[in-house]
């Protein structure tokens, strides 16, 4: 992963609050935590004045940190730099692991990760067939645009984020509604400090031939109005278009790709489940369409076990069995509408339903089972997530499937392990060359200030944290062999931990190195950026 792996990790996300310490020493962090927290928390943010006329002289790190703090016009200047077009070739199996079915091929990955690259959800598990289509669409020759359709909660929006994350492809994304106006796509005039200026819309920014080459994702395409869809014709066909208000002509960047998602492939919903419109045939013909299905119960089990570590194996297994029946009943509705034979469910007692039992709902159900513990039954948790909001005509069939899978256990609490508070410690590794991100929580009247540091290298992750009981800075090392996905697993783990700390109110303050052999007041030194 390299010496600067932590810096790469941090720059994988849009953290405008990332600050660097001025070149100063962090005093004796290990033995005087309060003192070091004071030093970090009160340090002056590092601010570098940048003249965009000399933008070519800025380092990648400076450009990344600067990007979110400048105007859209200044971002266009940064986006025109050639470094964003540099690629490196990586084995697809190294990027996507077990989910890749496209053979032993090398894929182009952007060498420098742009601030508009997306972060994939840590628990997202891609469908291998859809992943193959999306990756070949993004990396291959451009012809048709891509349409991804299917029931709500099938991961349509998450798939392009996953590809963006793995291939470092910048991505912009927005959803359509009946009330979406043309200016959301193209732009509009705004006033700032008494001056009028034209603010480019999302489509124009993504399309620009002088930009970085975006993957543009438009969700809910079959809910857009006719005016907006008409404007999108040329975009889907990769033809030049003109912004009427300014006369500026936009041509597509060579790497620009358009991917749309919807509940249907533009033909309207014959099942009556979704309130969507039929799209113009000329527009639909500009896409190749791929149907997204709900993942199988094995994938669901993996998602639930990863997301809810305290939820017992038996409860997860029974929830997955119910999910499999509900998904098949929903699939029968699609089969019926397309004149195909349905699959028999529960000896013919259940035929079809129109209530989508999505991964989102299953996770919500599992979450309540864990939260309720012994306080409420599995059925009570289910009713709050699915039973009370399902279609009235589906309630009997859903209850049959629920009772068939859980039996008497339905009216009992789920199998939930008690909360175990653990404070892991490890023998100190040689970490002189590891870059650590410093995060500080200032505490309140009921809690003390705390520090948390994280870094990573080819051996795995390295963490320092303020021990809740001793108030000492404690070291913990999680070795590479404990990560199922190797180096990528390390990055995903660190990313999730950083997100967790930020949500809890920690603030990123600096990047430092640690030298256990140095004098006590010089063990932590800021990394020069």
């Amino acid at each position: 992963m390299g010496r600067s792996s932590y810096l790469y990790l941090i720059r994988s996300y849009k953290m405008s609050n990332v600050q660097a310490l001025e070149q100063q020493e962090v005093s004796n962090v290990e033995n005087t935590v309060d003192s070091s927290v004071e030093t970090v928390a009160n340090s002056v943010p590092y601010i570098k004045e940048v003249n965009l006329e000399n933008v070519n002289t800025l380092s990648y790190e400076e450009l990344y940190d600067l990007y979110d703090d400048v105007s859209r016009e200044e971002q266009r200047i940064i986006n025109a730099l050639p470094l964003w077009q540099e690629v490196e070739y990586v084995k697809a199996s190294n990027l996507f692991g077990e989910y890749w079915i496209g053979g032993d091929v090398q894929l182009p990955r952007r060498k420098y990760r742009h601030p508009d690259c997306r972060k994939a959800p840590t628990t997202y598990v891609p469908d291998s067939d859809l992943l193959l289509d999306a990756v070949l669409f993004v990396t291959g020759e451009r012809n048709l645009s891509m349409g991804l359709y299917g029931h709500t909660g099938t991961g349509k929006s998450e798939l392009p984020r996953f590809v963006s994350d793995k291939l470092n492809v910048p991505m912009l994304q927005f959803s359509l509604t009946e009330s979406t106006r043309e200016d959301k796509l193209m732009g509009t005039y705004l006033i700032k400090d008494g001056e009028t200026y034209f603010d480019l819309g999302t489509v124009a920014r993504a399309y620009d031939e002088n930009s970085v080459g975006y993957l543009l994702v438009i969700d809910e395409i079959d809910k857009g109005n006719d005016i907006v869809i008409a404007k999108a014709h040329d975009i889907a066909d990769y033809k030049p278009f003109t912004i009427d208000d300014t006369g500026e002509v936009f041509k597509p960047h060579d790497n620009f790709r358009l991917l749309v998602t919807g509940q249907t492939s533009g033909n309207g919903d014959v099942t009556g489940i979704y309130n969507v419109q039929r799209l113009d045939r000329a527009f639909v013909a500009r896409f190749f369409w791929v149907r997204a299905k709900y993942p199988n119960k094995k994938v669901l089990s993996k998602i639930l076990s990863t997301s809810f570590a305290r939820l017992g194996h038996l409860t997860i297994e029974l929830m997955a069995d119910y999910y499999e029946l509900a998904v098949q009943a929903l699939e029968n509705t699609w089969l019926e509408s397309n004149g195909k034979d349905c699959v028999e469910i529960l000896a013919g007692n259940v035929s079809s339903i129109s209530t989508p039992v999505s991964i989102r709902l299953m996770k919500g159900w599992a979450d309540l089972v864990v939260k309720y513990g012994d306080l409420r039954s599995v059925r009570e948790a289910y009713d709050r997530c699915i039973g009370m909001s399902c279609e009235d005509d589906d309630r009997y069939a859903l209850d049959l499937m629920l009772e068939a899978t859980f039996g008497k256990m339905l009216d009992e609490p789920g199998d939930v392990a008690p909360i175990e508070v653990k404070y892991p410690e490890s023998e100190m590794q040689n970490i002189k060359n590891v870059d650590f991100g410093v995060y500080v929580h200032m505490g309140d009247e009921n809690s003390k200030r705390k520090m948390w540091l994280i870094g990573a290298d080819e051996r795995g992750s390295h963490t320092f944290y303020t021990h809740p009981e001793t108030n000492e800075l404690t070291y913990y090392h999680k070795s590479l062999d404990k990560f199922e996905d190797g180096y990528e697993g390390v990055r995903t783990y660190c990313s999730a931990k950083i997100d967790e700390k930020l949500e809890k109110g920690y603030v990123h303050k600096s990047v430092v190195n640690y030298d256990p052999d140095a004098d006590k007041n010089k063990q932590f030194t800021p990394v020069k950026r």
Side-chain angles (χ1 to χ4, degrees), residues 95-132:
L95 292 170
F96 303 109
E98 63 182 297
Y99 307 118
W100 181 252
I101 59 173
D104 187 19
V105 297
Q106 302 269 334
L107 294 174
R109 179 176 66 183
R110 304 283 182 98
K111 185 176 180 180
Y112 296 100
R113 188 178 177 92
H114 189 274
D116 284 333
C117 290
R118 293 303 181 95
K119 171 179 172 283
T122 55
T123 58
Y124 176 68
V125 177
D127 176 277
S128 293
D129 286 321
L130 295 182
L131 177 64
L132 180 65

Side-chain angles (χ1 to χ4, degrees), residues 284-518:
V284 172
R286 286 165 163 80
F287 296 84
F288 73 94
W289 295 89
V290 184
R291 184 171 177 239
K293 299 181 180 180
Y294 287 118
N296 59 41
K297 72 174 186 178
K298 181 179 179 181
V299 172
L300 173 72
S301 296
K302 183 175 181 179
I303 292 173
L304 294 184
S305 61
T306 301
S307 303
F308 306 98
R310 294 172 54 214
L311 191 58
H313 174 74
L314 178 58
T315 301
I316 290 177
E317 184 178 334
L318 295 176
M319 291 179 72
D321 287 341
Y322 165 81
Y323 165 82
E324 183 178 45
L325 292 175
V327 167
Q328 186 56 65
L330 184 66
E331 181 69 8
N332 278 351
T333 301
W334 185 85
L335 293 171
E336 286 176 345
S337 65
N338 285 273
K340 299 182 180 181
D341 294 334
C342 294
V343 175
E344 186 177 273
I345 301 172
L346 297 182
N349 290 317
V350 174
S351 58
S352 61
I353 61 173
S354 57
T355 299
V357 179
S358 64
I359 296 292
R360 184 184 301 112
L361 287 177
M362 293 300 296
K363 289 177 70 175
W365 180 17
D367 179 58
L368 285 187
V369 170
V370 172
K371 285 179 178 176
Y372 290 153
D374 293 335
L375 300 176
R376 288 195 171 101
S377 67
V378 171
R379 185 196 295 272
E380 289 175 297
Y382 167 85
D383 283 341
R384 285 160 172 76
C385 287
I386 301 172
M388 294 180 182
S389 60
C390 69
E391 296 288 341
D392 289 340
D393 293 341
D394 294 337
R395 188 164 285 114
Y396 176 73
L398 288 169
D399 283 345
L400 278 182
M401 293 184 284
L402 186 66
E403 292 167 1
T405 51
F406 277 89
K408 294 181 179 180
M409 295 179 62
L410 184 59
D411 293 310
E412 300 174 0
D415 178 19
V416 180
I419 298 176
E420 294 185 17
V421 180
K422 296 182 179 179
Y423 306 115
E425 298 183 34
S426 302
E427 182 179 346
M428 182 65 66
Q429 303 287 311
N430 182 353
I431 52 176
K432 292 182 180 180
N433 291 326
V434 176
D435 292 340
F436 284 91
V438 179
Y439 292 78
V440 177
H441 192 290
M442 294 306 297
D444 52 36
E445 58 184 12
N446 298 316
S447 62
K448 294 183 179 180
R449 290 166 295 182
K450 297 174 287 188
M451 288 187 68
W452 182 75
L453 297 83
I454 192 166
D457 61 10
E458 66 279 358
R459 295 167 296 176
S461 66
H462 306 272
T463 307
F464 287 95
Y465 65 94
T466 302
H467 198 289
E469 295 176 352
T470 66
N471 206 38
E472 294 182 355
L473 206 63
T474 304
Y475 171 75
Y476 172 61
H477 169 56
K478 187 173 181 180
S479 59
L480 184 64
D481 58 9
K482 294 181 180 179
F483 293 93
E484 183 176 338
D485 297 327
Y487 295 134
E488 185 58 33
V490 175
R491 195 172 77 87
T492 300
Y493 168 81
C494 292
S495 303
K497 288 295 182 182
I498 290 172
D499 286 344
E500 178 184 307
K501 294 299 179 184
L502 292 173
E503 289 175 3
K504 290 181 177 180
Y506 282 74
V507 177
H508 183 272
K509 285 294 183 180
S510 181
V511 180
V512 301
N513 290 141
Y514 175 72
D515 183 359
D517 298 326

Side-chain angles (χ1 to χ4, degrees), residues 15-35:
M15 296 182 184
S16 59
N17 66 329
V18 172
Q19 301 169 342
L21 286 172
E22 289 185 313
Q23 299 306 307
Q24 59 183 5
E25 296 171 350
V26 180
S27 62
N28 198 354
V29 178
E30 187 171 25
N31 294 329
T32 56
V33 175
D34 281 348
S35 174

Side-chain angles (χ1 to χ4, degrees), residues 127-355:
D127 176 277
S128 293
D129 286 321
L130 295 182
L131 177 64
L132 180 65
D133 281 312
V135 169
L136 294 182
F137 168 67
V138 170
T139 62
E141 297 255 343
R142 186 174 65 197
N143 190 354
L144 294 175
S145 294
M146 181 174 179
L148 192 58
Y149 74 101
H151 285 293
T152 179
T154 50
K156 301 184 296 293
S157 298
E158 284 78 7
L159 177 63
R161 294 176 196 163
F162 184 76
V163 173
S164 168
D165 186 27
K166 299 298 183 181
L167 294 177
N168 289 346
V169 174
M171 174 179 152
L172 297 178
Q173 185 173 24
F174 67 95
S175 299
L176 294 184
T177 67
E178 290 183 4
S179 61
T180 299
R181 301 182 352 175
E182 178 187 336
D183 56 13
K184 185 170 184 177
L185 280 68
M186 303 305 175
T188 187
Y189 280 104
L190 298 176
I191 298 176
K192 183 178 180 181
D193 298 330
E195 298 290 333
T196 301
Y197 70 99
F198 191 82
D199 186 49
L200 286 180
T202 305
V203 170
R205 290 166 52 210
Y207 208 71
D208 190 358
E209 66 177 331
N210 296 315
S211 189
V212 295
Y214 281 97
L215 169 62
L216 175 63
V217 179
I218 304 179
D219 290 318
E220 311 287 359
I221 191 67
D222 44 6
K223 292 183 179 179
N225 58 61
D226 290 341
I227 295 176
V228 168
I229 296 300
K231 276 291 181 183
H233 275 229
D234 285 344
I235 300 162
D237 220 11
Y238 305 107
K239 292 180 179 179
F241 68 83
T242 302
I243 294 181
D244 297 335
D245 289 334
T246 66
E248 185 174 3
V249 177
F250 281 81
K251 297 179 181 179
H253 190 285
D254 289 342
N255 292 323
F256 172 80
R257 298 290 186 275
L258 173 64
L259 187 153
V260 301
T261 73
Q263 265 75 52
T264 70
S265 57
N267 297 317
D269 181 22
V270 295
T271 67
I273 297 176
Y274 301 105
N275 182 24
V276 296
Q277 69 171 0
R278 185 181 179 88
L279 296 176
D280 177 69
R281 291 308 308 166
F283 181 71
V284 172
R286 286 165 163 80
F287 296 84
F288 73 94
W289 295 89
V290 184
R291 184 171 177 239
K293 299 181 180 180
Y294 287 118
N296 59 41
K297 72 174 186 178
K298 181 179 179 181
V299 172
L300 173 72
S301 296
K302 183 175 181 179
I303 292 173
L304 294 184
S305 61
T306 301
S307 303
F308 306 98
R310 294 172 54 214
L311 191 58
H313 174 74
L314 178 58
T315 301
I316 290 177
E317 184 178 334
L318 295 176
M319 291 179 72
D321 287 341
Y322 165 81
Y323 165 82
E324 183 178 45
L325 292 175
V327 167
Q328 186 56 65
L330 184 66
E331 181 69 8
N332 278 351
T333 301
W334 185 85
L335 293 171
E336 286 176 345
S337 65
N338 285 273
K340 299 182 180 181
D341 294 334
C342 294
V343 175
E344 186 177 273
I345 301 172
L346 297 182
N349 290 317
V350 174
S351 58
S352 61
I353 61 173
S354 57
T355 299

